[in-house]
Amino acid sequence: MSGTSSVGSVAGRSVPIEDHGIIGDLRTVALVGNEGTIDWLCLPHFDSPSVFAALLDPDKGGHWRICPEPDGVMKKQFYWPQTNVLVTRFYTPDGVGEIIDFMPMSRDGKRAERDVLRRVRVVRGEMRFQMECFPAFNYARDPHETLLIHGGAAFASRSLELTLVSSMPLKKEGRGVTARFTLHENQSAIFSLRQGARVSCQDLVHSHESAEALFRDTVDYWRHWLSRCQYKGRWRETVERSALALKLMTFAPSGAIVAAPTASLPESPGGTRNWDYRFCWLRDAAFTVYAFMRIGFKEEAAAFMRWVEKRCAEHGDGPLPLMFSLDGSPVPAEVELAHLSGYGGAQPVRIGNAAAHQLQLDIYGELMDSVYLSNKYAAPISYDFWCHLRREVDWVCNHWQEEDEGIWEVRGGRRHFVYSKLMCWVALDRAIRLADKRSFPADRPRWLAVRDAIFEDIMANGWSDKRGAFIQAYGREALDAANLLMPLVFFLSPVDPRMLSTLDKIRRPSAHGGLVSDGLVFRYDADATLDGIAGKEGTFNLCSFWLVEAMTRASVARPDLLEEARLTFERMLGYANHVGLYAEQTGMSGEALGNFPQALTHLSLISAAYNLDRTLGGHD
């Protein structure tokens, strides 16, 4: 018995991706299912090995479950307003109970102790609960010892030690511990999981009063942070929830932002498109800086920019790495975990990411755009930073004509992707603008010549008269939703006839050659793209919000597109889960697919909401 329990076990059944909320402390997050199960948690950081991974294997992965007895009661999960404190409430004929899950935070952010606190309460009547905590260290690869100690239990593996603290009597069962207890109205039971093993933890047991104080401090922290949000337009609660989710995906020690806090959640049901997203992509830079600054969070944008500056300063010759570990070190090698069954049977389960070694030329454009925006709206960049950037721009001048793997990180071979060329153009354009704005020294004649050459190259080879649209790659007629960014990065006017035609072609149903299904957008046609990965995938939430922005901007000449943009945006809001979070993709049955929640989805939601609300103005 290694990480499972026969008592109310979730063995054999993964909680659906969309049935989760997340809690965190700006260093890691836990996914909490609406049945009261924490089935994903990596400690001490986002990219550390998992402690609970039932999401990837309900039998072996490890879990921490608290639920009523008998099982199957009516339940509801929601966030405490304007916070990342999660409440899972249960309703029975005998009473109403709830679990309040959070990682304690303080207003100044300097709380030394780090723990996952689960407060079980009965607010009406009475309710009997069961608790089972079965960690499985290092992705269920490392054995561990379980010891009952005064005030809780200790779990010790060779790489990590944890202590479960509670005043409730615990029973050792296999590799974990269980408890059964009954609470009456206004009674509570508190469980706390923290790093380190102890001989006794009686002095760490929370009282009702101390748990209440931590709850109030944490609520206060999140409300104080959110009070800086300057967005007051339509869909305000949705924008604020996306901001709160993004803040949870921020790694406070460095300012980096993970693409998602999970690994290997499949992009196609039962398929092989399973990747580790617990790293920081340079590509996210422009979207992060833009979205955070637009709604008033300049400190987060500035912290991420400092992280980016360090990466550029450390870089030597050759192409710039496209992703990093949270501390700036290289991303670990991609490894397959054959012993885990995978979410819904989707294999292989992967940790690490081999795409870190790909050539993706678009990252230079996103990097320079983020620096340009930061310099304009936040703080002027230093001369030393400029020297590092100038070296990268010169590298783009020498290499923009090469083939690469592109934004979608295909594994079917390099090509001349139109979006990659587009973002090389952005890199040169923003570098020229920044040099002129700050009077920085630069090889302006060469940069101007290369920028114009890239523009002509895209117009000559990236446009298909046959399709009446910009295509995915030179010599290939497939469409690509990434080209929706052309007007967003000011490459073309949003009402340029070629852009309007591309927009119309992409908006066609996928069955008729387009990329849209009920307003939701596929990033490309997987069959036509030959991306080197087997299986289909769902619509790409990021691209759906890009479509909203493209239609919003095109509405200057096509007023009909403004209402269509609003309907598409609000249709997308209906595909958020019950607590307002999005995975990477939406499946054909409306289910969440891919890693969850995804930062880029929430960043693009904020950007789409901001620009759509501004364009709609005061008329409804």
Side-chain angles (χ1 to χ4, degrees):
M1 194 168 203
S2 56
T4 65
S5 168
S6 59
V7 181
S9 176
V10 292
R13 180 175 62 85
S14 294
V15 178
I17 296 170
E18 61 270 18
D19 286 350
H20 290 85
I22 61 170
I23 58 172
D25 62 359
L26 310 185
R27 286 164 178 78
T28 192
V29 304
L31 269 65
V32 186
N34 62 3
E35 296 179 349
T37 302
I38 292 181
D39 51 18
W40 181 261
L41 173 63
C42 299
L43 289 175
H45 300 144
F46 294 103
D47 55 357
S48 300
S50 66
V51 174
F52 302 121
L55 202 56
L56 296 180
D57 191 317
D59 294 324
K60 300 176 185 175
H63 67 273
W64 183 10
R65 190 182 192 204
I66 304 174
C67 65
E69 287 186 331
D71 203 355
V73 302
M74 197 168 131
K75 56 189 179 293
K76 180 180 181 181
Q77 192 176 56
F78 56 94
Y79 279 110
W80 201 267
Q82 299 183 309
T83 77
N84 280 315
V85 174
L86 191 67
V87 181
T88 307
R89 186 169 289 165
F90 303 100
Y91 303 86
T92 72
D94 298 323
V96 178
E98 63 187 22
I99 307 168
I100 302 176
D101 286 310
F102 60 98
M103 296 188 193
M105 304 287 290
S106 60
R107 173 71 77 89
D108 60 8
K110 296 180 179 179
R111 186 175 185 273
E113 299 84 5
R114 293 182 55 211
D115 55 348
V116 181
L117 197 146
R118 313 197 72 185
R119 186 181 178 199
V120 189
R121 299 176 61 231
V122 167
V123 295
R124 292 181 184 173
E126 67 175 34
M127 191 173 294
R128 183 165 175 78
F129 290 90
Q130 59 178 342
M131 188 285 305
E132 48 190 37
C133 184
F134 287 84
F137 293 88
N138 190 17
Y139 310 105
R141 292 184 294 188
D142 289 356
H144 69 272
E145 286 188 282
T146 300
L147 296 173
L148 294 179
I149 58 178
H150 196 44
F155 308 102
S157 75
R158 62 186 178 187
S159 57
L160 185 66
E161 297 178 328
L162 298 176
T163 300
L164 177 65
V165 183
S166 180
S167 62
M168 291 291 113
L170 302 178
K171 176 185 176 183
K172 182 179 176 182
E173 187 171 336
R175 293 288 186 178
V177 294
T178 64
R180 281 189 171 91
F181 53 95
T182 299
L183 297 177
H184 298 276
E185 191 166 321
N186 296 324
Q187 289 185 330
S188 64
I190 296 96
F191 298 87
S192 172
L193 187 70
R194 57 179 62 197
Q195 280 185 252
R198 298 169 65 98
V199 176
S200 170
C201 54
Q202 185 64 28
D203 59 324
L204 302 176
V205 173
H206 286 295
S207 65
H208 174 85
E209 290 74 21
S210 64
E212 176 70 15
L214 287 173
F215 164 76
R216 290 175 180 265
D217 285 348
T218 304
V219 166
D220 183 59
Y221 170 86
W222 288 114
R223 285 182 174 168
H224 178 70
W225 180 82
L226 192 61
S227 69
R228 292 161 40 208
C229 182
Q230 297 175 359
Y231 184 82
K232 308 300 180 187
R234 301 167 179 84
W235 318 290
R236 180 178 172 182
E237 286 189 10
T238 299
V239 170
E240 289 181 344
R241 177 50 54 198
S242 287
L244 284 162
L246 287 170
K247 182 63 173 176
L248 275 184
M249 289 184 268
T250 302
F251 186 62
S254 70
I257 297 178
V258 292
T262 56
S264 218
L265 294 182
E267 296 172 6
S268 56
T272 61
R273 298 169 180 260
N274 317 318
W275 319 111
D276 191 347
Y277 276 15
R278 298 170 300 153
F279 310 111
C280 188
W281 271 250
L282 279 182
R283 176 176 298 112
D284 297 6
F287 303 108
T288 301
V289 171
Y290 180 84
F292 267 141
M293 288 197 302
R294 276 301 187 198
I295 59 176
F297 294 107
K298 292 186 178 180
E299 288 182 18
E300 283 71 22
F304 194 24
M305 191 49 54
R306 288 192 294 271
W307 183 88
V308 170
E309 181 176 357
K310 289 178 181 178
R311 303 294 79 77
C312 292
E314 294 164 355
H315 178 235
D317 298 327
L320 192 64
L322 58 108
M323 70 176 90
F324 298 84
S325 293
L326 299 177
D327 61 359
S329 61
V331 170
E334 191 171 291
V335 175
E336 295 183 1
L337 303 180
H339 66 288
L340 296 179
S341 61
Y343 175 87
Q347 291 185 319
V349 172
R350 296 184 178 94
I351 55 172
N353 201 312
H357 305 292
Q358 290 185 347
L359 176 64
Q360 298 178 17
L361 293 171
D362 66 286
I363 64 170
Y364 292 92
E366 285 122 2
L367 168 64
M368 289 306 304
D369 196 35
S370 69
V371 174
Y372 176 78
L373 291 169
S374 181
N375 182 85
K376 184 175 182 180
Y377 294 110
I381 68 167
S382 67
Y383 170 71
D384 288 336
F385 191 11
W386 171 251
C387 290
H388 300 315
L389 294 170
R390 184 171 59 178
R391 180 185 62 206
E392 303 301 342
V393 175
D394 287 337
W395 190 93
V396 173
C397 289
N398 294 328
H399 297 274
W400 71 270
Q401 292 173 301
E402 295 180 13
E403 295 180 326
D404 73 336
E405 279 90 0
I407 180 175
W408 306 128
E409 302 181 346
V410 299
R411 301 196 178 191
R414 294 182 177 181
R415 298 188 194 123
H416 291 291
F417 287 104
V418 172
Y419 180 78
S420 295
K421 307 298 183 191
L422 168 70
M423 296 312 288
C424 286
W425 179 89
V426 170
L428 271 297
D429 180 75
R430 302 307 191 266
I432 293 166
R433 294 187 192 209
L434 187 54
D436 290 344
K437 179 77 174 175
R438 295 288 308 280
S439 300
F440 279 138
D443 190 351
R444 285 173 174 80
R446 187 189 185 204
W447 288 6
L448 282 164
V450 173
R451 184 190 67 175
D452 292 348
I454 298 173
F455 193 104
E456 299 282 11
D457 192 61
I458 293 172
M459 300 306 285
N461 299 303
W463 169 263
S464 168
D465 288 324
K466 179 180 177 181
R467 291 299 302 263
F470 287 101
I471 51 178
Q472 184 176 53
Y474 293 178
R476 295 186 178 270
E477 297 290 313
L479 297 176
D480 191 329
N483 292 333
L484 291 168
L485 262 70
M486 285 184 168
L488 276 60
V489 298
F490 307 112
F491 177 80
L492 283 181
S493 160
V495 297
D496 186 288
R498 294 197 192 199
M499 199 62 236
L500 289 174
S501 179
T502 299
L503 187 58
D504 287 339
K505 297 301 187 296
I506 287 176
R507 290 177 58 222
R508 289 179 178 177
S510 56
H512 296 93
L515 295 178
V516 170
S517 172
D518 189 37
L520 279 64
V521 183
F522 295 96
R523 54 180 172 172
Y524 51 69
D525 181 339
D527 292 331
T529 300
L530 301 176
D531 59 13
I533 311 161
K536 299 284 187 179
E537 59 180 19
T539 54
F540 216 77
N541 295 326
L542 165 69
C543 299
S544 298
F545 290 120
W546 281 351
L547 177 62
V548 170
E549 282 216 58
M551 290 193 293
T552 299
R553 294 177 189 243
S555 67
V556 176
R558 292 266 304 275
D560 60 300
L561 289 178
L562 184 58
E563 184 60 24
E564 191 63 31
R566 179 172 187 165
L567 290 173
T568 299
F569 181 81
E570 292 176 339
R571 185 177 291 114
M572 271 300 296
L573 298 188
Y575 284 97
N577 80 342
H578 60 291
V579 289
L581 301 178
Y582 290 88
E584 184 176 35
Q585 301 184 20
T586 299
M588 299 313 293
S589 300
E591 77 277 21
L593 291 174
N595 286 304
F596 172 89
Q598 197 206 30
L600 277 179
T601 300
H602 288 278
L603 289 164
S604 61
L605 183 155
I606 291 172
S607 181
Y610 179 90
N611 287 296
L612 179 57
D613 179 73
R614 183 177 60 176
T615 304
L616 285 168
H619 47 79
D620 255 327

